[in-house]
Amino acid sequence: MIIQSKKVWLADQFVAAQIEFEEGKITAVHPYGTKPADKVYGSERFLPGFIDVHCHGAFGFDTNDAEEAGLRYWVRNIVSEGVTALLPTTITQSEQVLTAALKNIAKVVADGYEGAEILGAHFEGPYLDMVYKGAQPEQHIVKPTVEQFKK
């Protein structure tokens, strides 16, 4: 499939270009009008998708909620804001809460989902220095152990 627009973001500017896709991946970028286009977007802007590496939640859902339906809704709808991939991010909490959050992320990934790609998880604590803990709750800051990572 080939699409084209007069405003495709390449390097550091908008240019007139065609984007060629195969199996959902960009395989080539051509000057505007090089090949017959399947879809012409005029002057609509094309930008790369954003990768959010620190996202606690959206649309009324938080990673620590560990709600499967909430995570599915979040990743399906966040693409409307230009996010194409993300790392659901926890906030320092009890081991129970964090384990449930990770299990939820793993289940959604294993079972399949629609929307932004879940690239993994971002732990914001509980392994923090008390001096640099920021807003993280002190009662849940712990020293890392091999046993805890195995869980």
Side-chain angles (χ1 to χ4, degrees), residues 66-82:
E67 294 173 6
E68 183 179 346
L71 180 56
R72 289 181 183 286
Y73 185 83
W74 168 19
V75 297
R76 183 173 57 252
N77 289 285
I78 197 83
V79 294
S80 69
E81 297 181 11

Side-chain angles (χ1 to χ4, degrees), residues 6-110:
K6 293 179 183 171
K7 292 187 177 178
V8 176
W9 187 258
L10 291 177
D12 62 351
Q13 63 186 330
F14 284 104
V15 299
Q18 291 185 326
I19 305 171
E20 189 167 356
F21 296 88
E22 287 181 30
E23 297 180 21
K25 296 193 186 237
I26 296 173
T27 56
V29 177
H30 307 287
Y32 189 92
T34 300
K35 296 182 176 186
D38 296 299
K39 183 92 174 167
V40 178
Y41 288 91
S43 292
E44 289 187 44
R45 294 180 178 172
F46 281 63
L47 298 130
F50 299 105
I51 299 173
D52 194 338
V53 298
H54 186 139
C55 189
H56 290 283
F59 306 102
F61 173 78
D62 184 273
T63 303
N64 282 13
D65 294 340
E67 294 173 6
E68 183 179 346
L71 180 56
R72 289 181 183 286
Y73 185 83
W74 168 19
V75 297
R76 183 173 57 252
N77 289 285
I78 197 83
V79 294
S80 69
E81 297 181 11
V83 176
T84 57
L86 57 85
L87 291 170
T89 303
T90 63
I91 188 165
T92 300
Q93 257 309 320
S94 69
E95 184 177 324
Q96 278 183 311
V97 169
L98 296 177
T99 300
L102 286 180
K103 285 182 178 180
N104 185 54
I105 294 166
K107 179 175 182 0
V108 168
V109 170

